[in-house]
Amino acid sequence: MKVAVVGGGAVGLCCAWSLARRGADVVVYERARVGSGCSFGNTGWICPGLSAPLPAPGVMGAALRGMLRPGSPVLIRPLFGLAFLRWSWGFWRACAPERYRAGLEATVALSRRTFELFDELRAAGVEFEMHSAGMVVAALTEAGLEEYATMLREAQAAGYDGQVRVLDGDAVRELEPAASEAVVGGVHAPAERYVRPESFTRGLADALRRDGALVREGVAVGDLREVDADADAVVVAAGVWSGSLLRSAGVHVPLEAAKGYSVTARGSGTAPRHAFYLAEAKVGCSTFGDAVRIAGVFDLTGVDLTLRRRRIETITRSAAAFFRDWEPEDVELEWAGLRPYPPDGLPLVGRVPGSDRLYAATGHGRMGITLAPATGELLADVVLHGAEPPELAPFGLARLGRISGR
């Protein structure tokens, strides 16, 4: 069976890997270089414990209040148009407690084999940088501590089987010497990991080529009718560009681009040993060798990759209070990337209704690295064998209502 995968990020490459391992003849189309989009400059976290959907009770009010503060991690620039209004209405509805709980249970179930699948990739010869020291959430206030302690306990209630420990400030500093004296407490999730995402996508692409798959870089697909007509199946895994690609096939799915930023820098002082999350700042940190990557903010400003200096400064300024003495000195990379979000914050994975050869694997938001291997494994069975895995039932496109335009 010949399968075309459109999109060479973490999700698309994991789909291609799982399809190829099952015997499919796979070709990947990537508009730039593999892993150069949303997968490139993020923190690379593998964190099922933080897999809660973005729409949650209280999120709308907190976001609107936060936007009034200078340097808020959330920015919503008015996007006039019926499509954005519909997306916003769907997001608001998804914040209902019962919808949130159902979404959390679904994402936890999808990520259940995540660590095992990353280990299997390495055992199969996919080379990438991975760190297994766990995650530490640091909080400057009791309210910030309670927010994330609650989030991780809710994940446990939904089926997450990792250990969760709530710590006071001294215990946080003993575990994570990078934490400052201002940290009043934190949460430790020792099972969590992180990868260097550029090494992960590069390793997957190299392994695919080694095993005979075709990975075509610099090939921008603007219309799905341009994809090889001989392909028996086409998997759309093109991140925020998936919406326009699916529209070219008469399929309309609501996707918005949420821009995030990161800075990767060598510095002086004590770098984090763990995946280090800064609760009130909504910022994540990963240490790669002698450099630290700090990433955050959530800008709903449309498909816009402009690197705005003020937003980079927001990340570094808000992170400073959490660090004992680490300070950036030599900047290696400043980056902005677009995370694809359906209105309910859940990925779109499965067969496209009304088509006998079109499949989607997109909309993973901030959970692309965590959920990519599981998405690839389960979707490969759908594409090749017509399977209906129960883990994918909550992520079908049909949940979004009428999507076919033809």
Side-chain angles (χ1 to χ4, degrees), residues 180-328:
S180 74
E181 290 296 326
V183 171
V184 303
V187 187
H188 180 214
E192 311 296 72
R193 307 180 188 178
Y194 66 93
V195 298
R196 184 152 194 162
E198 341 47 322
S199 76
F200 182 57
T201 52
R202 183 173 59 250
L204 280 166
D206 289 347
L208 282 163
R209 289 179 171 127
R210 179 196 67 209
D211 292 347
L214 181 61
V215 180
R216 300 185 61 190
E217 298 177 281
V219 180
V221 176
D223 189 316
L224 288 177
R225 289 169 292 191
E226 300 170 4
V227 177
D228 192 343
D230 294 333
D232 300 292
V234 178
V235 176
V236 179
V240 295
W241 290 274
S242 298
S244 60
L245 278 171
L246 289 167
R247 280 195 297 275
S248 74
V251 176
H252 301 271
V253 296
L255 275 178
E256 286 294 333
K259 183 159 60 173
Y261 292 82
S262 75
V263 57
T264 306
R266 295 182 177 90
S268 62
T270 307
R273 298 175 179 174
H274 302 79
F276 194 39
Y277 190 77
L278 316 181
E280 290 82 3
K282 313 298 184 191
V283 165
C285 309
S286 295
T287 300
F288 301 120
D290 59 355
V292 176
R293 178 167 296 168
I294 307 173
V297 310
F298 182 92
D299 289 0
L300 276 177
T301 55
V303 179
D304 172 17
L305 278 168
T306 305
L307 189 70
R308 302 188 185 279
R309 176 68 50 191
R310 189 171 297 177
R311 299 305 273 162
I312 293 285
E313 292 171 352
T314 292
I315 296 170
T316 55
R317 185 171 56 250
S318 63
F322 294 82
F323 286 113
R324 186 181 83 180
D325 56 6
W326 186 86
E327 294 182 354

Side-chain angles (χ1 to χ4, degrees), residues 81-171:
L82 187 57
F84 182 70
L85 291 175
R86 285 174 175 165
W87 185 92
S88 301
W89 170 249
F91 186 99
W92 179 79
R93 292 183 62 212
C95 289
E98 64 277 6
R99 294 277 301 276
Y100 170 75
R101 285 193 297 272
L104 176 58
E105 290 172 359
T107 52
V108 168
L110 182 57
S111 65
R112 189 157 288 135
R113 293 186 60 222
T114 285
F115 301 130
E116 175 188 345
L117 292 173
F118 273 94
D119 290 339
E120 288 180 2
L121 285 168
R122 279 188 133 182
V126 180
E127 297 182 359
F128 55 94
E129 180 181 341
M130 184 163 63
H131 302 262
S132 304
M135 176 184 67
V136 172
V137 179
L140 302 180
T141 65
E142 293 297 335
L145 173 59
E146 182 57 29
E147 177 184 356
Y148 285 91
T150 298
M151 186 181 297
L152 282 154
R153 290 190 191 108
E154 289 176 342
Q156 285 184 313
Y160 170 65
D161 57 6
Q163 183 184 3
V164 174
R165 295 193 300 146
V166 178
L167 310 174
D168 63 20
D170 289 338

Side-chain angles (χ1 to χ4, degrees), residues 28 47 112 166 199 201 291 300 328 339 352 356 379 389:
V28 177
C47 286
R112 189 157 288 135
V166 178
S199 76
T201 52
L300 276 177
R339 296 162 291 191
V352 174
D356 59 359
L379 188 64

Side-chain angles (χ1 to χ4, degrees), residues 25-50:
D25 179 11
V26 176
V27 56
V28 177
Y29 295 90
E30 166 52 42
R31 66 201 311 269
R33 297 296 298 271
V34 293
S36 63
C38 182
S39 298
F40 185 73
N42 62 58
T43 53
W45 284 14
I46 311 168
C47 286
L50 291 183

